[in-house]
Amino acid sequence: MTKAPLLAALAIALPMSLPLAASAASLTLSEPLAGGTLREGTVDMSVYTQPVDENGIEVVAFYTERAGAEPLRLAMRLEDGDSTTFGLPGVSGVSYRFERAADAVTVTSAPARSELALN
């Protein structure tokens, strides 16, 4: 087999042999009043930032789990170096991480696993 067909065969076979990795969506907002949207599974989230004082940035997000549902609001104040990860009330299977580094706020969504602990 020549080099080109061998590489093509590997390019097809390799992804099929690798474990399926969970995808994550990420959004970085680096300017005041910057905004963007994330979509993870059935959840759409629109996020924007605004300065609140010389140390804090307020992150505001509106999210909905399905088309036509009333959007819900969440807000938090982040200072440089702050981060938090949580799930949304009433929404299973996804978690969100909000991180601030200098003037940039990064929001990352990822599929969440549920684990059961039994005693």
Side-chain angles (χ1 to χ4, degrees):
M1 186 178 270
T2 65
K3 191 174 188 179
L6 177 60
L7 290 176
L10 283 174
I12 293 169
L14 187 58
M16 297 170 122
S17 67
L18 296 174
L20 182 62
S23 65
S26 183
L27 170 68
T28 299
L29 307 172
S30 56
E31 298 177 17
L33 302 176
T37 302
L38 290 172
R39 175 172 279 177
E40 182 68 48
T42 62
V43 178
D44 291 333
M45 179 182 285
S46 294
V47 184
Y48 71 90
T49 63
Q50 60 186 8
V52 288
D53 58 36
E54 66 182 45
N55 296 320
I57 292 177
E58 182 178 40
V59 181
V60 179
F62 289 89
Y63 68 93
T64 184
E65 190 172 9
R66 63 186 183 284
E70 187 70 27
L72 299 172
R73 180 182 187 269
L74 64 92
M76 69 192 80
R77 182 180 194 272
L78 296 177
E79 293 188 4
D80 190 17
D82 286 348
S83 68
T84 185
T85 302
F86 55 85
L88 300 172
V91 177
S92 61
V94 64
S95 65
Y96 291 87
R97 180 169 181 81
F98 293 78
E99 298 178 85
R100 176 166 173 215
D103 291 332
V105 173
T106 301
V107 183
T108 306
S109 65
R113 295 183 314 173
S114 295
E115 295 184 19
L116 179 62
L118 298 174
N119 289 333

